Amino acid sequence: MKAQYLIRFDDICPTMEWRKWQTVERALIDNGVKPLLAVVPDNCDPELRAAPADPGFWQKVRDWQKLGWSIGLHGFQHCYVSASAGILGRNCYSEFAGLSESVQRDKLERALEIFRREGVRPEAWIAPAHSFDQVTVRLLASLGVNCISDGYSLRPYVSGEGMLWVPQQLGWFRRLPFGTWTVCLHTNAWSPRRIDRFREEVSAFRELTVGLDEIRRCYRNRSRSVSDKLFHNCYRAVRSLKTRVTTEAPCTSLLP
């Protein structure tokens, strides 16, 4: 099977850079691409305050979902309060990993309540900084969120607790021969040149893009394979060579 791509946008919140997003959104619609949008339920991160808050934000989110775009639960407040790297060992800071079950449950329930109040259906979990732990996974399953957009594998798979893991491996488009690849993008800091490049790339890759709904249909019964585990280990090793984590102790993965 040839390569397929899921396009994911992180840090979607009322104070995102809307002027840039309008051009990106138009390119997605014009090319018939259905992205996964990581929506912060109650943003309290000053780094994500790129523009005045849009009072019509939640109506936009509902409209995106009506278009067939998928909405992910991007943490709760996008504030890092822990130095734990969590399952993936990618960043040594987290909004969830390392916290007690009661604290994590409270955050998740409050985040989901905001979504319910606004009439938005959470279709995947997207952890800020890619950092969460097994407690987070267990709580998500108990609260009805059964998809995680993260991790490293060639294709999505369902874990023992019934969670669909959709891997997230890329920070930009790359031509690859096979596999399912999530391209994770952050638009707030994009220059006009980067926006133009995105318009070109999304047009070039549109025939290879898929939505989260299609991925669910294709992989809802696929278990994690030996090749998935090998890919996880190899891919993470390559990332470690490229990125030095500035902590006293290196981040470690808890994924077996």
Side-chain angles (χ1 to χ4, degrees), residues 33-51:
V33 172
K34 297 181 179 180
L36 170 60
L37 305 181
V39 173
V40 184
D42 180 31
N43 178 51
C44 293
D45 184 350
E47 295 295 323
L48 301 188
R49 294 172 187 162

Side-chain angles (χ1 to χ4, degrees), residues 65-109:
Q65 202 152 49
K66 288 177 183 177
L67 283 174
W69 297 10
S70 295
I71 306 301
L73 186 70
H74 196 29
F76 172 39
Q77 295 179 322
H78 208 278
C79 292
Y80 305 123
V81 296
S82 164
S84 174
I87 292 173
L88 299 178
R90 186 162 171 174
N91 295 299
C92 292
Y93 45 90
S94 180
E95 185 180 14
F96 285 85
L99 302 183
S100 69
E101 181 169 342
S102 62
V103 170
Q104 291 200 46
R105 178 180 289 277
D106 178 65
K107 288 188 175 192
L108 290 172
E109 289 180 343

